[in-house]
Amino acid sequence: MTHPNAASRPTQAVVLAGGQGSRLRPYTDDRPKPMVEIPGTGTPIIGHQLTWLAEEGVTDVVVSCGHLAEVLQKWLDSADLPVSVTTVVESEPLGRGGGLRYAAARLPHPDRPWYATNGDIWTRFSLRDMADFHAERDAVATLALARPRIPWGAVKTDGFGHITDFIEAPPSTFEINAGVYVFSPEFAGMLPERGDHERTTFPRLAREKKLAGFPIPQGAYWRAIDTAKDLTEAAKELAALGR
């Protein structure tokens, strides 16, 4: 039996892979951030992302390149990819919102919904469930929400000021934007030509109750690969998960 929302689940996606990755040096001296390999996996971050998108029903992906674009394009041309990939390169920096709009213009089905993901996110959860959540709320945009672990040990105290417990790297009490999105077709036209949609489009949609937040299910894997420490932590975690 087909899920009633199956028709509204995206089959196309944008991967934003243009970041400088300055905090990941020296790994990013000769390659863009999404081309950095997770130690022990032999595959760059973007390779894992494309596999995940394909597993979730995506057939067409637009990769927005920037820093060292040619390295990424060369890998995409030579790799055996599970999806059809188009690359776009901004001739001048358009900002996050402008870059997203520029990439979205190359999607094969402008009249259908689409996924987007930041090129440095390593995660595994059901995008189909997120697409259904988006459709059920009649949202224009839905953000995946994560609770990252705080990198420090936390301390619990009682009302009197005595310490009662120590908690190693607890999950944050706040949810954060996890860098994975579902967008309705009309979203692309709401993006700025240049500039940051997170300061313009998202707040406007939130005021109109058209912005939804999908909590990544507890136990699902999520990590932003931002620093060398994130790489070693991801490698440890993935080894423990047997990936």
Side-chain angles (χ1 to χ4, degrees), residues 17-225:
Q20 289 279 340
S22 50
R23 292 203 293 169
L24 257 174
R25 289 202 175 113
Y27 297 100
T28 47
D29 283 347
D30 61 353
R31 69 196 61 193
K33 202 168 167 183
M35 280 300 302
V36 173
E37 288 181 11
I38 307 288
T41 70
T43 307
I45 298 166
I46 193 163
H48 293 283
Q49 287 188 325
L50 295 175
T51 300
W52 175 50
L53 289 168
E55 286 167 359
E56 293 292 329
V58 171
T59 53
D60 294 272
V61 177
V62 177
V63 178
S64 173
C65 312
H67 173 64
L68 297 172
E70 63 286 353
V71 179
L72 181 51
Q73 287 171 316
K74 191 175 167 191
W75 182 81
L76 289 167
D77 287 343
S78 65
D80 181 17
L81 301 172
V83 288
S84 171
V85 172
T86 306
T87 56
V88 298
V89 184
E90 296 167 28
S91 50
E92 54 180 324
L94 300 172
R96 289 194 296 183
L100 193 55
R101 184 181 179 122
Y102 184 67
R106 296 295 298 276
L107 287 166
H109 308 289
D111 56 336
R112 296 190 204 160
W114 46 293
Y115 296 118
T117 178
N118 296 348
D120 57 354
I121 299 296
W122 176 283
T123 187
R124 280 287 188 282
F125 63 90
S126 172
L127 281 174
R128 290 180 175 95
D129 286 353
M130 184 174 169
D132 294 345
F133 179 96
H134 171 83
E136 283 154 11
R137 278 147 192 82
D138 196 26
V140 171
T142 297
L143 285 58
L145 305 177
R147 285 187 190 272
R149 292 200 166 272
I150 297 168
W152 306 282
V155 175
K156 269 190 167 175
T157 58
D158 63 17
F160 197 63
H162 291 124
I163 289 174
T164 57
D165 202 3
F166 293 93
I167 307 159
E168 195 52 47
S172 163
T173 50
F174 290 101
E175 292 174 311
I176 64 154
N177 175 354
V180 179
Y181 312 89
V182 184
F183 296 132
S184 292
E186 66 268 31
F187 179 75
M190 299 177 177
L191 286 163
E193 297 278 345
R194 56 182 64 224
D196 189 349
H197 61 296
E198 297 197 7
R199 300 213 173 122
T200 53
T201 315
F202 279 173
R204 190 178 105 212
L205 287 173
R207 285 194 298 274
E208 294 168 3
K209 297 278 190 288
K210 288 287 185 183
L211 190 66
F214 174 78
I216 292 177
Q218 221 175 349
Y221 188 75
W222 180 88
R223 181 175 279 279
I225 308 293

